[in-house]
Amino acid sequence: MEKFSVSLPLTGEYLTTVRLTTGGLCALVGFDVETAEDYKVCVTESLLILKRNGFLRAEITFTVSETLACEVRGKEKTNKEEDAIEDEISRALLSALLGDVQFTQEGNCVVGIAFEG
């Protein structure tokens, strides 16, 4: 079992980098193309949830074994929160693609998301 962590600003340029990195990790565990694409969508949606909940940065920790686990945590909280309806759509998408997704909340704010594929 190996861990891979990265801390990044929640800006568009870095989301592309995270998608590429996630794709490489999916290949390491032997995901087929469709499963890898679904997993990349889940990582991206998780980061967008944190951004909409007012975080400027995120820390992502991947655990690579026979499966690929991912934990995303928000860092540097601001008071700028966006419309929660988009979060509900993202949550539904995560659940549809992965099934078991854990959301960590403080009050109404999502501060972390964890899942495994």
Side-chain angles (χ1 to χ4, degrees):
M1 180 180 344
E2 297 286 330
K3 289 198 181 261
F4 178 83
S5 297
V6 63
S7 179
L8 65 143
L10 289 172
T11 60
E13 303 83 30
Y14 289 99
L15 294 180
T16 300
T17 302
V18 168
R19 285 183 60 81
L20 292 170
T21 302
T22 302
L25 293 170
C26 287
L28 281 176
V29 297
F31 286 177
D32 60 41
V33 173
E34 184 176 313
T35 303
E37 193 59 37
D38 288 349
Y39 204 88
K40 290 188 292 185
V41 167
C42 291
V43 171
T44 303
E45 287 298 322
S46 297
L47 294 171
L48 290 172
I49 288 171
L50 294 176
K51 184 175 181 176
R52 286 191 299 266
N53 277 263
F55 290 98
L56 297 175
R57 301 182 63 80
E59 184 173 305
I60 307 170
T61 302
F62 293 99
T63 303
V64 182
S65 59
E66 292 88 34
T67 61
L68 183 60
C70 179
E71 181 178 2
V72 181
R73 302 224 27 106
K75 303 289 181 192
E76 297 182 27
K77 178 85 167 99
T78 68
N79 290 326
K80 293 182 183 179
E81 294 181 21
E82 294 181 25
D83 188 9
I85 191 71
E86 288 185 41
D87 279 0
E88 292 305 315
I89 294 168
S90 292
R91 282 177 181 247
L93 181 59
L94 287 167
S95 294
L97 293 175
L98 292 171
D100 187 28
V101 180
Q102 289 87 42
F103 294 91
T104 304
Q105 290 192 201
E106 291 178 2
N108 290 334
C109 180
V110 175
V111 298
I113 303 163
F115 51 87
E116 190 170 338

